[in-house]
Structure formats: C-alpha cells, structure tokens
Amino acid sequence: MFAAVLALTASGLWGSSYFLGGSISRQMPALTVLFIAQPLILVGTCVIVVARGLTPHLGAAAWGVVAGVAAVAAMITMYRALAGAAMGVVAPIGASAAVLPVLVGIATGERPQPVQLLGVGAALAGVALVARAPGAHGRTPRPAMIMALASAACVGVVYTAVPLGAQQDATTTLIVQRITMTALIAAIVLASRHQVTVGPGSLGRIALIAGTEISANLTYTLAATQPGAMLSVVSALASLSPVVTALIARQVLTERLSRWQLAGVGVTILGVAAAAAG
C-alpha cells in the first residue's frame, strides 16, 4: 500500500512538471528548457546522493544510462506535443507508458491479482478513449499525437530501467541517469548550434520544473524498491502523471474536453484506483 501511495505521489509530481514544461515550451524551444533545467536537476540529485551515500555499481550504472537516454527523448517529444496541442488531450496519451513495464514485470515472474490487471487494462482503455475521441475544438493534430505516443514509449523504458537499476543500487542509477541526460542534452545543443536564450522571468519556472523532477524521480525510486512492490503495478500508478497534467490544464488554462474525453479520464482514474486497491 505504501508503494502505491509513493507511486501516486510521483505521478502527481511528474504531472505538474509536464504541465510547467509544456507551458513554458509554448514560449521558448523545449531544448532550451531542458538545457537549463538538467544541470539544476543534476545538482539536486548529487545532494541526495551525498546524503544517502554512493556505492558505485556497474549494473546499476548501465540501467542509469538507458534511463537517461530514454528520458531525454521522452521529455523533448512530450514538451513539443504539449506545446502544439491541447494538453488535456495530448497528456493522457502518455499514460500508455505503463504497457512496457507491466509486460516486463509479468515476463519476469510477477503475478498481479486479477483486479490489478483489470485496473491496468481499464486505465489504458481510458487513455485510448481520450486519445481517439474528438475534442471540444476538433481532432488533435497528427504530429502532436505521434510525438505523444513516442514519448509514452520512451517513458515506458524509463519506468522499466529505473526500478531494475535501483534493485542493484538506487543512488547509482539516479546519478548516472542525470549525468547521461545532462551530457546528452548539452551534446545536442552543441551539435545543432542551438541558441540558448532565457529571460529572467523564466528562470524561476524552470527551477520549479527541476525541483518537481527531482522529487518525482526520488519518490518513484522509493516506490519501486519497497518490499513486495511489483514493477507492473508501481509503473501503472506512476504513469497517471499525464492525467494529472490534463486536469491541471483544465483548471489553469480552462481547456475544454468533450464528454467522451471526460469519460476516458474517468475510466483511467477508476482503473488506477483498482490497480492500487489490489
């Protein structure tokens, strides 16, 4: 139960981070946002590592690299998707990220209860309904849908790699993931000769993104390493972050969803509740 609470907390933090990142990416390139945010996240992660102590583990480091590369791809594609379409439609598609870790968990011997599998299936069905139903402002642009699905696939890799690395050493996984992300984004900026220009008013918002990202990663790692925690269930709960993004957008940006899309969000929430109850 505690692992479920931690996973849901992580989903809330990630959902808030996606909303902030998507909002600011409507004013400046997503690559600029990531280039400024990642060093801040790396510094915060280093503070956590120093506090917890670091015992380098080669296997955990390898999973950290995988998680880092996948996370960069996921964030770039999701920020661009959120900047190019209604967040209330695009964001819930990301909840399908749970598919990969659920399959990996079952393949490695996990046996979720029937109600948990039913809940995961309902959550994914709700996401599909939100994605396919026409919204209050018409259908979502195809490029935004494609980027949202690509982001979901990459997030699924992150949700799988982080717990597998954390089983060997959580702090090594976290620090290597962030080092990989920071280095990769810096390399992309240099290779593309991207001009990084940030106004003073945007720095505080980017710092807030960094803070929520640090908290979400730490919380998810703790959830995945709780005694008896199952990757298939923890990842399904954490994957609700895009639904949180959609709900925040509905309140803050007054985005309107169609009845079918609202029904999809409701089915997703009920599915996650069933997975947690199990």
Side-chain angles (χ1 to χ4, degrees), residues 214-236:
I214 293 170
S215 301
N217 277 277
L218 179 60
T219 306
Y220 180 68
T221 302
L222 291 174
T225 53
Q226 289 297 305
M230 288 189 289
L231 174 62
S232 54
V233 176
V234 169
S235 59

Side-chain angles (χ1 to χ4, degrees), residues 50-138:
V50 170
R52 297 186 62 182
L54 176 64
T55 304
H57 192 290
L58 185 60
W63 285 117
V65 172
V66 172
V69 173
V72 169
M75 295 176 76
I76 290 176
T77 50
M78 179 54 78
Y79 283 5
R80 289 182 175 176
L82 292 171
M87 292 187 186
V89 177
V90 171
I93 298 174
S96 58
V99 172
L100 178 61
V102 167
L103 294 177
V104 171
I106 294 174
T108 54
E110 291 183 358
R111 294 296 178 265
Q113 298 176 20
V115 67
Q116 291 175 309
L117 291 176
L118 182 62
V120 171
L124 296 178
V127 169
L129 182 58
V130 172
R132 292 187 61 83
H137 303 289

Side-chain angles (χ1 to χ4, degrees), residues 127-240:
V127 169
L129 182 58
V130 172
R132 292 187 61 83
H137 303 289
R139 290 194 176 275
T140 304
R142 184 179 296 273
M145 296 281 286
I146 293 174
M147 283 189 286
L149 288 171
S151 177
C154 293
V155 171
V157 175
V158 176
Y159 284 168
T160 304
V162 169
L164 292 175
Q167 290 174 5
Q168 301 175 58
D169 186 77
T171 51
T172 298
T173 304
L174 285 176
I175 193 66
V176 172
Q177 178 190 3
R178 286 303 161 183
I179 291 173
T180 300
M181 293 179 70
T182 303
L184 181 57
I185 291 171
I188 294 173
V189 168
L190 291 174
S192 62
R193 297 183 179 180
H194 177 76
Q195 295 295 321
V196 178
T197 304
V198 183
S202 301
L203 290 176
R205 295 166 65 187
I206 294 177
L208 186 57
I209 293 173
T212 53
E213 275 286 320
I214 293 170
S215 301
N217 277 277
L218 179 60
T219 306
Y220 180 68
T221 302
L222 291 174
T225 53
Q226 289 297 305
M230 288 189 289
L231 174 62
S232 54
V233 176
V234 169
S235 59
L237 297 178
S239 69
L240 264 211

